[in-house]
């Protein structure tokens, strides 16, 4: 009867078990356990030549890191939770990319959680992340406060706030008041004297602060409060919210030749509605978005917008979180505020003349009433 045999000729004699351990790697590479540990946890601290040697042995032995054992030793997994308001919003996609890049440099993984702007869902994610013993949590909170993060901190989980700030917390955000000011200043500088601010729910802090910035710019130029019309539509600030808001602008014949939108998705929706209604952009109406997502520059009409350094914000937040986790009580909390920049493209231009602003009788009865914004 034939018997099967296993060849062991390729087995490294220094390997002590079928599942190679960190000790096996150290012995086969001729380095200390500390060097292998540094290779796994802080690879940049290992000399390139040594790192290459350890990497070669890891591949030859088929060594797989035992995350469970590492968790038992340190009490923390090598993961970071990122809780965002709306994963479908490209702003958060790009922010997550920056966070992932910073985490990867430290051999950490990002767990992405979408709260859908639901405080109950947000709280459940925080509970699950704590159960998973994550190294820390980055959070763009539903109400800007996220009471659940207090419990996380009290139990030893590091937390960094994204797009909000609180005392005794590290935070990363942009100057939204300054960004709204930039958008309105640009339109006023082009001669627009009546503005419309189109936004999703103003209960969202960022949208409310951008409106505040618009008001600051208008006041600085002596424009009355009555020269500003506010259109509030929807909750999330989606393209559909923008379309519906644009239809309100058309149907209501609202005054204003310059429109500031609370984000780029809203702006793109407004543009779609107005163009469909026969409004020319920027000849009749100028539109400014906010965020500078990738879609802002890829449409048929490139969008003028206020740029936020989204990836830099994600990267910085992650670095702060890692520092806090490493340093513990010695860590000094930082509140980082990024300054937005205006990016001028095709959706803005000089205000129409007084003649163009007057309603054309022949257009008042058009189906979409597009003359309202002429």
């Amino acid at each position: 009867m034939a018997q099967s045999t296993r060849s062991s000729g390729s087995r490294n004699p220094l390997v002590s078990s079928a599942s190679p351990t960190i000790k096996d790697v150290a012995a086969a590479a001729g380095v200390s356990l500390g060097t292998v540990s540094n290779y796994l946890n802080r690879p940049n601290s290992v000399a390139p030549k040594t790192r290459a040697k350890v990497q070669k042995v890891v591949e030859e032995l088929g060594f797989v890191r035992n995350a469970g054992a590492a968790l038992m030793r340190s009490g923390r997994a090598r993961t970071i939770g990122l809780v965002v308001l709306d994963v479908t919003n490209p702003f958060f996609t790009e922010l997550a990319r920056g966070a992932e890049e910073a985490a990867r440099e430290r051999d950490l993984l990002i767990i992405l959680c979408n709260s859908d702007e639901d405080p109950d869902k947000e709280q459940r994610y925080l509970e699950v992340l704590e159960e998973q013993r994550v190294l820390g949590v980055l959070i763009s909170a539903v109400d800007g406060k996220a009471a659940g993060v207090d419990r996380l901190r009290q139990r030893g989980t590091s937390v960094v706030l994204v797009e909000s700030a609180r005392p005794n917390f590290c935070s990363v955000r942009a100057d939204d008041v300054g960004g709204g000011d930039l958008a309105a200043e640009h339109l006023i500088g082009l001669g627009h004297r009546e503005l419309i601010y189109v936004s999703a729910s103003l209960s969202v802090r960022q949208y409310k602060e951008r409106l505040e910035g618009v008001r600051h710019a208008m006041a600085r130029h002596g424009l009355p409060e009555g020269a500003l019309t506010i259109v509030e539509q929807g909750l999330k600030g989606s393209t559909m919210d923008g379309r519906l808001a644009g239809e309100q602008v058309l149907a209501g014949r609202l005054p204003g030749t310059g429109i500031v939108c609370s984000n780029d998705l809203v702006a793109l929706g407004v543009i779609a509605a107005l163009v469909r209604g026969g409004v020319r952009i920027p000849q009749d109406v100028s539109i400014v978005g906010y965020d500078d997502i990738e879609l802002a520059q890829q449409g048929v009409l490139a969008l003028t917008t206020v740029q936020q350094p989204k990836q830099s914000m994600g990267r910085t937040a992650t670095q702060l979180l890692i520092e806090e986790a490493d340093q513990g009580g010695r860590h000094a909390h930082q509140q980082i505020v990024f300054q937005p920049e205006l990016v001028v493209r095709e959706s803005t231009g000089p205000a129409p003349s007084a003649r163009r602003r007057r309603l054309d009788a022949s257009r008042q009865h058009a189906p979409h009433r597009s003359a309202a914004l002429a």
Side-chain angles (χ1 to χ4, degrees):
M1 182 176 178
Q3 294 182 332
S4 63
T5 60
R6 295 177 180 267
S7 172
S8 59
S10 61
R11 182 178 176 81
N12 191 309
L14 295 177
V15 178
S16 59
S17 66
S19 298
T21 67
I22 188 173
K23 292 182 179 180
D24 295 328
V25 173
V31 299
S32 68
L33 284 173
T35 298
V36 179
S37 177
N38 285 336
Y39 165 82
L40 295 172
N41 300 304
R42 295 173 295 279
N44 291 334
S45 68
V46 180
K49 185 176 180 180
T50 303
R51 193 163 63 235
K53 181 165 64 174
V54 175
Q55 175 66 27
K56 186 171 184 287
V57 170
V58 165
E59 293 174 354
E60 289 177 348
L61 300 185
F63 170 79
V64 177
R65 180 193 188 112
N66 187 333
L71 177 59
M72 290 180 65
R73 288 193 299 272
S74 68
R76 293 288 169 189
R78 298 196 61 77
T79 53
I80 291 173
L82 172 58
V83 184
V84 301
L85 294 173
D86 180 9
V87 75
T88 65
N89 188 325
F91 170 85
F92 291 110
T93 303
E94 296 182 41
L95 185 141
R97 179 179 290 277
E100 189 270 338
E101 289 175 353
R104 189 177 65 235
E105 291 171 0
R106 291 291 298 271
D107 194 29
L108 299 170
L109 297 178
I110 295 287
I111 300 175
L112 181 60
C113 305
N114 176 38
S115 72
D116 262 336
E117 302 190 34
D118 180 342
D120 292 332
K121 191 175 180 181
E122 175 185 87
Q123 179 56 38
R124 179 54 184 151
Y125 273 130
L126 292 177
E127 293 169 357
V128 170
L129 291 171
E130 184 179 18
E131 291 168 1
Q132 295 299 314
R133 306 295 293 168
V134 295
L135 188 71
V137 173
L138 307 170
I139 180 169
S140 180
V142 172
D143 64 359
K145 297 179 180 179
V149 302
D150 292 309
R151 289 189 289 274
L152 285 180
R153 286 279 296 278
Q154 291 167 2
R155 296 169 182 169
T157 301
S158 300
V159 176
V160 171
L161 306 178
V162 180
E163 292 203 291
S164 63
R166 288 178 58 189
N168 301 317
F169 279 86
C170 279
S171 63
V172 172
R173 63 186 181 90
D175 179 2
D176 287 298
V177 175
D181 192 309
L182 278 176
E185 178 67 33
H186 173 62
L187 292 173
I188 295 169
L190 290 171
H192 298 274
R193 292 296 179 266
E194 291 182 308
L195 304 184
I196 300 173
Y197 181 69
V198 177
S199 176
S201 174
L202 290 173
S203 64
V204 177
R205 179 197 60 80
Q206 294 89 330
Y207 300 160
K208 186 176 182 179
E209 289 189 358
R210 292 166 194 175
L211 171 58
E212 183 181 346
V214 170
R215 285 182 165 137
H216 283 182
M218 295 182 68
R220 188 168 57 249
H221 286 273
L223 298 178
E225 181 68 22
L228 174 65
T229 301
I230 299 170
V231 177
E232 189 174 359
Q233 171 64 51
L235 296 175
K236 292 189 174 183
S238 65
T239 304
M240 180 55 67
D241 290 338
R243 280 179 176 267
L244 294 174
E247 290 171 2
Q248 288 184 45
V249 170
L250 287 169
R253 293 199 293 273
L254 301 179
T257 59
I259 299 179
V260 178
C261 296
S262 59
N263 70 25
D264 286 344
L265 292 178
V266 168
L268 294 173
V270 169
I271 288 175
L274 296 189
V275 169
R276 188 175 181 182
V279 176
R280 299 176 305 164
I281 299 170
Q283 293 90 340
D284 298 333
V285 176
S286 289
I287 297 179
V288 182
Y290 205 108
D291 286 338
D292 194 26
I293 62 176
E294 189 173 349
L295 288 173
Q297 53 188 306
Q298 291 186 344
V300 175
L301 185 71
L303 180 66
T304 294
T305 186
V306 177
Q307 181 186 75
Q308 295 197 85
K310 301 167 287 297
Q311 292 193 28
S312 294
M313 291 170 66
R315 170 178 285 276
T316 300
T318 303
Q319 291 169 341
L320 287 175
L321 187 71
I322 294 171
E323 289 176 9
E324 181 175 334
D326 287 346
Q327 297 171 6
R330 296 179 289 109
H331 178 70
H333 296 303
Q334 300 180 59
Q335 288 77 42
I336 308 296
V337 180
F338 286 86
Q339 294 303 314
E341 297 180 3
L342 181 73
V343 180
V344 180
R345 297 195 179 100
E346 299 169 352
S347 66
T348 53
S353 65
R355 179 181 60 82
R356 285 289 302 154
R357 291 176 185 170
R358 290 194 298 266
L359 294 177
D360 183 340
S362 65
R363 295 180 63 193
Q364 286 188 36
H365 304 290
H368 297 283
R369 300 181 184 178
S370 58
L373 296 179

